[in-house]
Amino acid sequence: MLVFYKERLAFLAVPKTGSTAYHTALRDRADFVVTGPPDLKHAPVRRYDRFFQNIFRKMHGTEMDIMAVVREPIDWLGSWYRFRGRDDRIGHPHSTRDMSFDEFVRAYMQSPRPEFADVGSQSQFFRTRSNGHGASHIYKYENQDKILGFLEDRLNMKIDLQQENVSPKRDLSLTPETEQEFRKRHAAEFTCHASAL
């Protein structure tokens, strides 16, 4: 999470959407930086609103605009699958090394989810409190030019963005049946992505 007080902007970090690269590029420019623990670094909208936004409301009588990035849902799960298949995860309960992507997505659709597939939900990340405010600037991960353009304009600076946390390449094919079931059962994820800029 990055907060730019003068510009009234909070950049929330949806996991697996390139947030680490933006943190590295902008941390020296931000007024408030949260890099850990993960449940604070990746605080969803409702948690940000309840705790962080409340501070700005009560102490300064203002609110930050919220921006975040959302990734195409199958691509997002693919990023988790590749990330958890790294060599340093072998033997860990989160490891996806010895399974196919199709098996991972099928596990994600289980209730409850096995630990290795329990990676949350992008649509739930954006859920607001009953009296809270949502994200006002949501960008698609694949539209990096729009994300950079918005940030460079809002922060009045040139941003040098470098790739970070690049996971190993793996086969991300799904059977038509798995993809169809995933799209049906998790339609909210696709609606969330489709509504972004």
Side-chain angles (χ1 to χ4, degrees), residues 6 11 28 31-32 36 43 74-75 78 94 108 115 117 129 134 147 154 156 158 168 170 190 195:
K6 179 183 172 186
F11 187 169
D28 293 337
D31 298 297
F32 189 71
I74 295 173
D75 185 46
H94 289 167
Y108 181 83
E115 189 174 349
R129 297 191 307 144
I147 300 166
R154 187 77 174 244
N156 193 28
K158 184 73 178 160
R170 295 185 73 185
F190 293 92
S195 65

Side-chain angles (χ1 to χ4, degrees), residues 30-151:
D31 298 297
F32 189 71
V33 180
V34 180
T35 58
D39 58 341
L40 290 181
K41 175 185 177 181
H42 298 293
V45 168
R46 63 188 174 279
R47 187 176 303 139
Y48 169 81
D49 189 56
R50 181 175 177 196
F51 296 106
F52 299 98
Q53 190 81 288
N54 229 14
I55 293 170
F56 296 114
R57 285 188 196 115
K58 290 184 177 180
M59 295 183 68
H60 303 284
T62 191
E63 291 189 6
M64 303 296 116
D65 281 348
I66 298 171
M67 82 157 289
V69 177
V70 65
R71 197 164 178 165
E72 192 282 328
I74 295 173
D75 185 46
W76 183 72
L77 284 182
S79 183
W80 275 111
Y81 169 73
R82 291 186 298 112
F83 177 75
R84 292 188 164 186
R86 296 170 305 161
D87 290 344
D88 66 342
R89 306 309 285 172
I90 294 173
H92 191 280
H94 289 167
S95 178
T96 60
R97 175 56 72 91
D98 297 324
M99 68 183 65
S100 69
F101 182 51
D102 197 87
E103 290 170 318
F104 177 74
V105 172
R106 289 215 156 269
Y108 181 83
M109 291 189 285
Q110 292 176 16
S111 183
R113 293 180 182 129
E115 189 174 349
F116 65 84
D118 193 11
V119 296
S121 157
Q122 292 184 107
S123 66
Q124 287 299 304
F125 184 96
F126 291 100
R127 191 167 57 95
T128 60
R129 297 191 307 144
S130 59
N131 62 344
H133 297 281
S136 43
H137 307 282
I138 304 174
Y139 290 92
K140 292 177 180 168
Y141 172 82
E142 60 269 28
N143 292 339
Q144 292 295 319
D145 57 332
K146 288 184 179 180
I147 300 166
L148 279 170
F150 171 78
L151 286 168

